[in-house]
Amino acid sequence: HTMGRFHQKQSAHKYVWTTDFQAFNNQYYRNVVGKPDWFFDDADCTKVGDAWGNKGPAVWIAKMNQLFRTGAPLQWIQKKVVCPNCEAKSYARGGRHPDRLAQDRDCCMRDVPAGGQCRPD
């Protein structure tokens, strides 16, 4: 909830969408239009992009949280189409399904072309 206030009873969401209720900047609009951008997933703010080191495109995915019989609330989640964070070895951190971590490790270590960040799709 970038604008307005968070009301769990009205939205059925369990958390707010931003850590700063007062923040409303250009990143909001970049996210809405799906502008290619870096993905960050570590404390060092490592820029993660596509296989060739470019900003990754964004796609929107609908997620049904299924707290009610209707499937609501529905949430739109933006995903960046990028490599795993090979530089920070995100595949070694844990916290995700072991099969997914193995896929990420494979993407970072096998058949990566010269000059590539990871194996392209």
Side-chain angles (χ1 to χ4, degrees):
H1 303 118
T2 303
M3 297 189 309
R5 293 190 49 189
F6 174 69
H7 298 282
Q8 183 177 7
K9 286 183 181 180
Q10 293 173 355
S11 69
H13 289 289
K14 297 178 182 178
Y15 53 85
V16 296
W17 298 346
T18 179
T19 56
D20 183 357
F21 287 68
Q22 307 304 315
F24 190 69
N25 58 31
N26 288 341
Q27 189 62 41
Y28 171 81
Y29 295 104
R30 293 168 66 92
N31 286 338
V32 168
V33 299
K35 186 170 179 154
D37 214 342
W38 302 114
F39 177 71
F40 302 94
D41 80 335
D42 64 18
D44 295 327
C45 294
T46 304
K47 291 180 180 178
V48 180
D50 68 9
W52 305 108
N54 302 307
K55 293 178 179 180
V59 295
W60 287 95
I61 299 170
K63 176 185 175 215
M64 293 178 69
N65 291 319
Q66 301 189 20
L67 296 175
F68 302 105
R69 284 179 290 192
T70 62
L74 179 77
Q75 189 174 8
W76 286 96
I77 299 182
Q78 187 192 72
K79 301 272 185 174
K80 295 288 185 197
V81 183
V82 297
C83 291
N85 189 344
C86 299
E87 183 178 327
K89 297 183 177 161
S90 61
Y91 51 82
R93 274 189 224 140
R96 292 171 54 207
H97 192 279
D99 292 345
R100 180 58 205 220
L101 294 172
Q103 282 180 328
D104 287 355
R105 182 175 32 262
D106 187 61
C107 185
C108 289
M109 302 180 83
R110 287 190 46 211
D111 303 323
V112 177
Q117 308 293 316
C118 68
R119 185 182 61 241
D121 291 336

